[in-house]
Short mmCIF file of all heavy atoms in Angstrom, two decimals:
data_model
loop_
_atom_site.label_atom_id
_atom_site.label_comp_id
_atom_site.label_asym_id
_atom_site.label_seq_id
_atom_site.Cartn_x
_atom_site.Cartn_y
_atom_site.Cartn_z
N ARG A 2 98.67 89.36 115.98
CA ARG A 2 99.00 90.13 114.77
C ARG A 2 100.34 90.78 115.04
O ARG A 2 100.51 91.49 116.03
CB ARG A 2 97.95 91.23 114.52
CG ARG A 2 96.77 90.78 113.66
CD ARG A 2 95.88 91.98 113.32
NE ARG A 2 96.52 92.89 112.38
CZ ARG A 2 96.58 94.22 112.52
NH1 ARG A 2 96.06 94.81 113.58
NH2 ARG A 2 97.17 94.97 111.60
N ILE A 3 101.29 90.58 114.14
CA ILE A 3 102.64 91.08 114.39
C ILE A 3 102.65 92.62 114.50
O ILE A 3 103.39 93.19 115.31
CB ILE A 3 103.65 90.52 113.34
CG1 ILE A 3 105.04 91.07 113.56
CG2 ILE A 3 103.20 90.74 111.94
CD1 ILE A 3 105.72 90.48 114.75
N VAL A 4 101.76 93.29 113.73
CA VAL A 4 101.73 94.77 113.82
C VAL A 4 101.27 95.20 115.22
O VAL A 4 101.80 96.15 115.79
CB VAL A 4 100.84 95.38 112.71
CG1 VAL A 4 100.64 96.86 112.93
CG2 VAL A 4 101.47 95.14 111.33
N ILE A 7 104.25 94.86 117.50
CA ILE A 7 105.22 95.97 117.33
C ILE A 7 104.67 97.25 117.97
O ILE A 7 105.39 97.95 118.69
CB ILE A 7 105.50 96.21 115.82
CG1 ILE A 7 106.11 94.96 115.17
CG2 ILE A 7 106.42 97.42 115.64
CD1 ILE A 7 106.16 95.03 113.63
N GLU A 8 103.39 97.53 117.72
CA GLU A 8 102.79 98.76 118.26
C GLU A 8 102.79 98.75 119.79
O GLU A 8 102.97 99.80 120.42
CB GLU A 8 101.37 98.94 117.72
CG GLU A 8 101.37 99.36 116.26
CD GLU A 8 99.97 99.58 115.69
OE1 GLU A 8 98.97 99.31 116.38
OE2 GLU A 8 99.89 100.00 114.52
N LYS A 10 105.00 97.49 121.78
CA LYS A 10 106.32 97.90 122.29
C LYS A 10 106.59 99.36 121.95
O LYS A 10 107.16 100.10 122.78
CB LYS A 10 107.40 96.96 121.73
CG LYS A 10 108.80 97.15 122.28
CD LYS A 10 108.86 97.26 123.80
CE LYS A 10 108.49 95.99 124.55
NZ LYS A 10 108.40 96.25 126.03
N ARG A 11 106.16 99.80 120.79
CA ARG A 11 106.29 101.23 120.44
C ARG A 11 105.65 102.10 121.52
O ARG A 11 106.19 103.13 121.90
CB ARG A 11 105.59 101.47 119.09
CG ARG A 11 105.61 102.93 118.64
CD ARG A 11 104.57 103.14 117.53
NE ARG A 11 103.23 103.08 118.06
CZ ARG A 11 102.12 102.96 117.33
NH1 ARG A 11 102.19 102.87 116.02
NH2 ARG A 11 100.93 102.91 117.91
N ALA A 35 112.21 90.62 108.04
CA ALA A 35 113.22 91.42 108.74
C ALA A 35 112.71 92.84 109.00
O ALA A 35 113.02 93.43 110.03
CB ALA A 35 114.50 91.45 107.92
N TYR A 36 111.91 93.40 108.06
CA TYR A 36 111.49 94.79 108.26
C TYR A 36 110.54 94.94 109.45
O TYR A 36 110.48 96.01 110.04
CB TYR A 36 110.89 95.40 106.98
CG TYR A 36 109.74 94.66 106.35
CD1 TYR A 36 108.46 94.74 106.87
CD2 TYR A 36 109.93 93.89 105.20
CE1 TYR A 36 107.41 94.05 106.29
CE2 TYR A 36 108.88 93.21 104.61
CZ TYR A 36 107.62 93.29 105.15
OH TYR A 36 106.59 92.63 104.57
N GLN A 37 109.81 93.87 109.78
CA GLN A 37 108.97 93.94 110.99
C GLN A 37 109.84 93.73 112.23
O GLN A 37 109.68 94.42 113.23
CB GLN A 37 107.85 92.91 110.92
CG GLN A 37 106.82 93.27 109.85
CD GLN A 37 105.61 92.37 109.84
OE1 GLN A 37 105.72 91.16 109.98
NE2 GLN A 37 104.43 92.95 109.64
N SER A 39 112.97 94.47 112.64
CA SER A 39 113.83 95.62 112.94
C SER A 39 113.03 96.77 113.56
O SER A 39 113.55 97.50 114.41
CB SER A 39 114.60 96.07 111.71
OG SER A 39 113.72 96.55 110.73
N ALA A 40 111.77 96.93 113.15
CA ALA A 40 110.92 97.96 113.78
C ALA A 40 110.74 97.62 115.26
O ALA A 40 110.83 98.48 116.14
CB ALA A 40 109.58 98.06 113.07
N TRP A 41 110.51 96.34 115.54
CA TRP A 41 110.34 95.91 116.94
C TRP A 41 111.65 96.11 117.72
O TRP A 41 111.63 96.62 118.84
CB TRP A 41 109.90 94.44 117.00
CG TRP A 41 109.69 93.95 118.39
CD1 TRP A 41 108.61 94.19 119.20
CD2 TRP A 41 110.59 93.14 119.17
NE1 TRP A 41 108.79 93.59 120.42
CE2 TRP A 41 109.98 92.93 120.43
CE3 TRP A 41 111.84 92.56 118.92
CZ2 TRP A 41 110.59 92.18 121.44
CZ3 TRP A 41 112.44 91.82 119.92
CH2 TRP A 41 111.82 91.63 121.16
N MET A 43 113.98 98.27 117.23
CA MET A 43 114.18 99.69 117.52
C MET A 43 113.27 100.12 118.68
O MET A 43 113.71 100.87 119.57
CB MET A 43 113.90 100.53 116.27
CG MET A 43 114.07 102.02 116.50
SD MET A 43 115.71 102.51 117.12
CE MET A 43 116.66 102.46 115.59
N ALA A 44 112.03 99.65 118.67
CA ALA A 44 111.13 99.99 119.78
C ALA A 44 111.71 99.46 121.10
O ALA A 44 111.66 100.14 122.13
CB ALA A 44 109.73 99.42 119.52
N CYS A 46 114.95 98.98 121.75
CA CYS A 46 116.11 99.81 122.09
C CYS A 46 115.68 101.06 122.85
O CYS A 46 116.36 101.50 123.76
CB CYS A 46 116.85 100.27 120.82
SG CYS A 46 117.93 99.01 120.21
N ILE A 47 114.56 101.65 122.43
CA ILE A 47 114.14 102.92 123.03
C ILE A 47 113.26 102.68 124.27
O ILE A 47 113.42 103.35 125.28
CB ILE A 47 113.43 103.80 121.99
CG1 ILE A 47 114.37 104.08 120.79
CG2 ILE A 47 112.97 105.12 122.61
CD1 ILE A 47 113.75 104.87 119.66
N ARG A 48 112.37 101.71 124.19
CA ARG A 48 111.41 101.49 125.29
C ARG A 48 111.90 100.50 126.34
O ARG A 48 111.36 100.46 127.44
CB ARG A 48 110.07 101.00 124.75
CG ARG A 48 109.39 101.96 123.79
CD ARG A 48 108.98 103.25 124.48
NE ARG A 48 108.05 103.99 123.64
CZ ARG A 48 107.80 105.29 123.80
NH1 ARG A 48 108.41 105.97 124.77
NH2 ARG A 48 106.96 105.91 123.01
N LEU A 167 120.76 91.23 112.20
CA LEU A 167 119.83 92.32 111.86
C LEU A 167 120.11 93.55 112.72
O LEU A 167 120.12 94.68 112.21
CB LEU A 167 118.39 91.83 112.06
CG LEU A 167 117.29 92.80 111.63
CD1 LEU A 167 117.39 93.16 110.15
CD2 LEU A 167 115.90 92.22 111.93
N ASP A 169 122.87 94.47 113.94
CA ASP A 169 124.13 95.06 113.51
C ASP A 169 123.95 96.08 112.38
O ASP A 169 124.69 97.05 112.29
CB ASP A 169 125.06 93.92 113.06
CG ASP A 169 126.48 94.38 112.88
OD1 ASP A 169 126.96 95.13 113.75
OD2 ASP A 169 127.10 93.99 111.88
N VAL A 170 122.96 95.87 111.52
CA VAL A 170 122.77 96.76 110.36
C VAL A 170 121.57 97.70 110.52
O VAL A 170 121.21 98.41 109.58
CB VAL A 170 122.62 95.95 109.04
CG1 VAL A 170 123.92 95.24 108.71
CG2 VAL A 170 121.47 94.96 109.11
N THR A 171 120.95 97.71 111.69
CA THR A 171 119.77 98.55 111.87
C THR A 171 119.89 99.47 113.08
O THR A 171 118.87 100.03 113.54
CB THR A 171 118.48 97.69 112.02
OG1 THR A 171 118.68 96.75 113.08
CG2 THR A 171 118.15 96.95 110.74
N GLY A 172 121.10 99.65 113.58
CA GLY A 172 121.29 100.59 114.71
C GLY A 172 120.59 100.12 115.97
O GLY A 172 120.18 100.95 116.80
N THR A 173 120.45 98.80 116.15
CA THR A 173 119.72 98.32 117.32
C THR A 173 120.57 97.39 118.18
O THR A 173 120.05 96.49 118.85
CB THR A 173 118.40 97.62 116.89
OG1 THR A 173 118.70 96.61 115.92
CG2 THR A 173 117.44 98.60 116.28
N VAL A 174 121.89 97.61 118.14
CA VAL A 174 122.78 96.80 119.00
C VAL A 174 122.69 97.27 120.45
O VAL A 174 122.60 96.47 121.37
CB VAL A 174 124.23 96.84 118.48
CG1 VAL A 174 125.20 96.26 119.49
CG2 VAL A 174 124.33 96.09 117.15
N GLU A 175 122.70 98.58 120.66
CA GLU A 175 122.82 99.14 122.01
C GLU A 175 121.53 99.04 122.81
O GLU A 175 120.77 100.00 122.88
CB GLU A 175 123.28 100.60 121.96
CG GLU A 175 124.77 100.75 121.76
CD GLU A 175 125.17 100.88 120.30
OE1 GLU A 175 124.36 100.48 119.42
OE2 GLU A 175 126.27 101.37 120.03
N ARG B 2 126.67 106.91 106.47
CA ARG B 2 126.44 105.49 106.78
C ARG B 2 125.02 105.38 107.30
O ARG B 2 124.63 106.06 108.25
CB ARG B 2 127.39 105.00 107.87
CG ARG B 2 128.72 104.44 107.37
CD ARG B 2 129.50 103.84 108.53
NE ARG B 2 128.91 102.61 109.00
CZ ARG B 2 128.70 102.30 110.30
NH1 ARG B 2 129.00 103.17 111.25
NH2 ARG B 2 128.18 101.14 110.64
N ILE B 3 124.23 104.49 106.68
CA ILE B 3 122.82 104.42 107.04
C ILE B 3 122.64 104.02 108.51
O ILE B 3 121.73 104.51 109.19
CB ILE B 3 122.05 103.52 106.04
CG1 ILE B 3 120.57 103.39 106.43
CG2 ILE B 3 122.65 102.16 105.88
CD1 ILE B 3 119.80 104.63 106.15
N VAL B 4 123.54 103.17 109.03
CA VAL B 4 123.41 102.78 110.44
C VAL B 4 123.62 104.00 111.35
O VAL B 4 122.92 104.16 112.36
CB VAL B 4 124.38 101.62 110.79
CG1 VAL B 4 124.39 101.36 112.30
CG2 VAL B 4 123.98 100.36 110.06
N ILE B 7 120.38 105.94 111.33
CA ILE B 7 119.35 105.31 112.18
C ILE B 7 119.67 105.56 113.65
O ILE B 7 118.80 105.93 114.44
CB ILE B 7 119.26 103.79 111.89
CG1 ILE B 7 118.87 103.52 110.43
CG2 ILE B 7 118.26 103.13 112.83
CD1 ILE B 7 119.04 102.05 110.01
N GLU B 8 120.94 105.36 114.02
CA GLU B 8 121.33 105.52 115.43
C GLU B 8 121.12 106.96 115.90
O GLU B 8 120.76 107.19 117.05
CB GLU B 8 122.79 105.11 115.63
CG GLU B 8 122.96 103.60 115.56
CD GLU B 8 124.38 103.13 115.80
OE1 GLU B 8 125.31 103.98 115.90
OE2 GLU B 8 124.58 101.91 115.88
N LYS B 10 118.78 109.02 115.02
CA LYS B 10 117.36 109.22 115.37
C LYS B 10 117.00 108.40 116.61
O LYS B 10 116.26 108.88 117.47
CB LYS B 10 116.47 108.87 114.17
CG LYS B 10 115.01 109.21 114.32
CD LYS B 10 114.72 110.60 114.89
CE LYS B 10 115.08 111.74 113.95
NZ LYS B 10 114.94 113.06 114.67
N ARG B 11 117.56 107.22 116.71
CA ARG B 11 117.33 106.41 117.92
C ARG B 11 117.72 107.21 119.17
O ARG B 11 117.03 107.18 120.18
CB ARG B 11 118.18 105.14 117.84
CG ARG B 11 118.07 104.23 119.05
CD ARG B 11 119.21 103.21 119.09
NE ARG B 11 120.48 103.87 119.38
CZ ARG B 11 121.68 103.34 119.21
NH1 ARG B 11 121.79 102.12 118.72
NH2 ARG B 11 122.77 104.00 119.51
N ALA B 35 114.36 97.60 103.25
CA ALA B 35 113.18 97.90 104.08
C ALA B 35 113.50 97.74 105.57
O ALA B 35 112.99 98.48 106.39
CB ALA B 35 112.03 97.00 103.68
N TYR B 36 114.37 96.75 105.92
CA TYR B 36 114.61 96.53 107.35
C TYR B 36 115.36 97.69 108.00
O TYR B 36 115.24 97.93 109.19
CB TYR B 36 115.30 95.18 107.61
CG TYR B 36 116.60 94.95 106.90
CD1 TYR B 36 117.78 95.55 107.33
CD2 TYR B 36 116.67 94.12 105.78
CE1 TYR B 36 118.98 95.33 106.68
CE2 TYR B 36 117.86 93.90 105.13
CZ TYR B 36 119.01 94.50 105.58
OH TYR B 36 120.20 94.29 104.93
N GLN B 37 116.13 98.42 107.20
CA GLN B 37 116.77 99.62 107.76
C GLN B 37 115.76 100.77 107.83
O GLN B 37 115.71 101.51 108.80
CB GLN B 37 118.00 100.01 106.93
CG GLN B 37 119.13 98.99 107.08
CD GLN B 37 120.43 99.41 106.40
OE1 GLN B 37 120.41 99.93 105.30
NE2 GLN B 37 121.55 99.15 107.06
N SER B 39 112.56 100.59 108.20
CA SER B 39 111.55 100.41 109.25
C SER B 39 112.13 100.70 110.63
O SER B 39 111.43 101.21 111.50
CB SER B 39 110.92 99.02 109.18
OG SER B 39 111.88 98.03 109.44
N ALA B 40 113.41 100.39 110.83
CA ALA B 40 114.04 100.73 112.12
C ALA B 40 114.06 102.25 112.29
O ALA B 40 113.76 102.79 113.36
CB ALA B 40 115.46 100.16 112.19
N TRP B 41 114.38 102.97 111.21
CA TRP B 41 114.38 104.43 111.26
C TRP B 41 112.97 104.97 111.52
O TRP B 41 112.76 105.85 112.35
CB TRP B 41 114.96 105.01 109.96
CG TRP B 41 115.01 106.51 109.97
CD1 TRP B 41 115.93 107.29 110.61
CD2 TRP B 41 114.10 107.41 109.32
NE1 TRP B 41 115.65 108.62 110.41
CE2 TRP B 41 114.54 108.73 109.62
CE3 TRP B 41 112.98 107.25 108.53
CZ2 TRP B 41 113.88 109.86 109.14
CZ3 TRP B 41 112.32 108.38 108.05
CH2 TRP B 41 112.77 109.66 108.35
N MET B 43 110.52 103.55 113.04
CA MET B 43 110.14 103.34 114.44
C MET B 43 110.82 104.38 115.34
O MET B 43 110.19 104.92 116.26
CB MET B 43 110.51 101.92 114.88
CG MET B 43 110.16 101.61 116.33
SD MET B 43 108.40 101.87 116.75
CE MET B 43 107.67 100.38 116.08
N ALA B 44 112.08 104.67 115.07
CA ALA B 44 112.78 105.69 115.86
C ALA B 44 112.07 107.04 115.69
O ALA B 44 111.91 107.80 116.66
CB ALA B 44 114.25 105.77 115.45
N CYS B 46 108.84 107.47 114.99
CA CYS B 46 107.56 107.40 115.72
C CYS B 46 107.76 107.75 117.18
O CYS B 46 106.92 108.39 117.79
CB CYS B 46 106.98 105.99 115.64
SG CYS B 46 106.11 105.71 114.12
N ILE B 47 108.86 107.28 117.75
CA ILE B 47 109.06 107.48 119.20
C ILE B 47 109.77 108.80 119.49
O ILE B 47 109.41 109.52 120.40
CB ILE B 47 109.82 106.28 119.80
CG1 ILE B 47 109.03 104.97 119.55
CG2 ILE B 47 110.03 106.48 121.31
CD1 ILE B 47 109.72 103.70 120.03
N ARG B 48 110.76 109.14 118.67
CA ARG B 48 111.55 110.35 118.96
C ARG B 48 111.03 111.61 118.27
O ARG B 48 111.41 112.72 118.64
CB ARG B 48 113.01 110.14 118.53
CG ARG B 48 113.73 108.99 119.22
CD ARG B 48 113.88 109.24 120.70
NE ARG B 48 114.85 108.32 121.28
CZ ARG B 48 114.95 108.09 122.59
NH1 ARG B 48 114.14 108.71 123.45
NH2 ARG B 48 115.86 107.25 123.05
N LEU B 167 105.28 100.44 103.90
CA LEU B 167 106.13 99.86 104.94
C LEU B 167 105.61 100.23 106.34
O LEU B 167 105.56 99.38 107.24
CB LEU B 167 107.58 100.35 104.76
CG LEU B 167 108.62 99.74 105.69
CD1 LEU B 167 108.68 98.22 105.55
CD2 LEU B 167 109.99 100.35 105.43
N ASP B 169 102.62 100.78 107.19
CA ASP B 169 101.38 100.05 107.43
C ASP B 169 101.63 98.68 108.05
O ASP B 169 100.81 98.19 108.83
CB ASP B 169 100.65 99.91 106.08
CG ASP B 169 99.22 99.45 106.25
OD1 ASP B 169 98.56 99.94 107.17
OD2 ASP B 169 98.77 98.59 105.47
N VAL B 170 102.75 98.05 107.74
CA VAL B 170 103.02 96.68 108.23
C VAL B 170 104.07 96.65 109.33
O VAL B 170 104.50 95.57 109.76
CB VAL B 170 103.43 95.73 107.08
CG1 VAL B 170 102.26 95.52 106.12
CG2 VAL B 170 104.65 96.25 106.33
N THR B 171 104.51 97.82 109.79
CA THR B 171 105.56 97.83 110.81
C THR B 171 105.18 98.65 112.04
O THR B 171 106.05 99.01 112.84
CB THR B 171 106.89 98.38 110.24
OG1 THR B 171 106.65 99.67 109.66
CG2 THR B 171 107.47 97.46 109.18
N GLY B 172 103.89 98.93 112.19
CA GLY B 172 103.45 99.66 113.38
C GLY B 172 104.00 101.07 113.45
O GLY B 172 104.21 101.62 114.54
N THR B 173 104.25 101.69 112.29
CA THR B 173 104.86 103.02 112.31
C THR B 173 103.98 104.05 111.58
O THR B 173 104.49 105.03 111.05
CB THR B 173 106.28 102.99 111.70
OG1 THR B 173 106.22 102.39 110.40
CG2 THR B 173 107.23 102.18 112.56
N VAL B 174 102.67 103.80 111.58
CA VAL B 174 101.76 104.78 110.97
C VAL B 174 101.59 106.00 111.88
O VAL B 174 101.64 107.13 111.42
CB VAL B 174 100.39 104.12 110.65
CG1 VAL B 174 99.36 105.16 110.27
CG2 VAL B 174 100.55 103.11 109.52
N GLU B 175 101.40 105.76 113.18
CA GLU B 175 101.04 106.84 114.10
C GLU B 175 102.21 107.74 114.45
O GLU B 175 102.86 107.58 115.48
CB GLU B 175 100.45 106.25 115.39
CG GLU B 175 98.99 105.87 115.27
CD GLU B 175 98.79 104.43 114.86
OE1 GLU B 175 99.73 103.82 114.30
OE2 GLU B 175 97.69 103.91 115.09
#
Side-chain angles (χ1 to χ4, degrees):
Chain A
R2 271 187 71 227
I3 178 74
V4 172
I7 299 169
E8 287 181 354
K10 187 46 68 187
R11 178 196 71 194
Y36 55 77
Q37 291 187 318
S39 65
W41 181 78
M43 179 57 79
C46 279
I47 301 176
R48 299 295 194 198
L167 185 60
D169 193 43
V170 294
T171 54
T173 54
V174 169
E175 279 93 340
Chain B
R2 270 187 72 226
I3 178 74
V4 172
I7 299 169
E8 287 182 353
K10 188 46 69 188
R11 178 196 69 194
Y36 56 77
Q37 291 187 318
S39 64
W41 181 77
M43 180 56 79
C46 278
I47 302 177
R48 299 295 195 197
L167 185 59
D169 193 41
V170 294
T171 55
T173 54
V174 169
E175 279 92 339

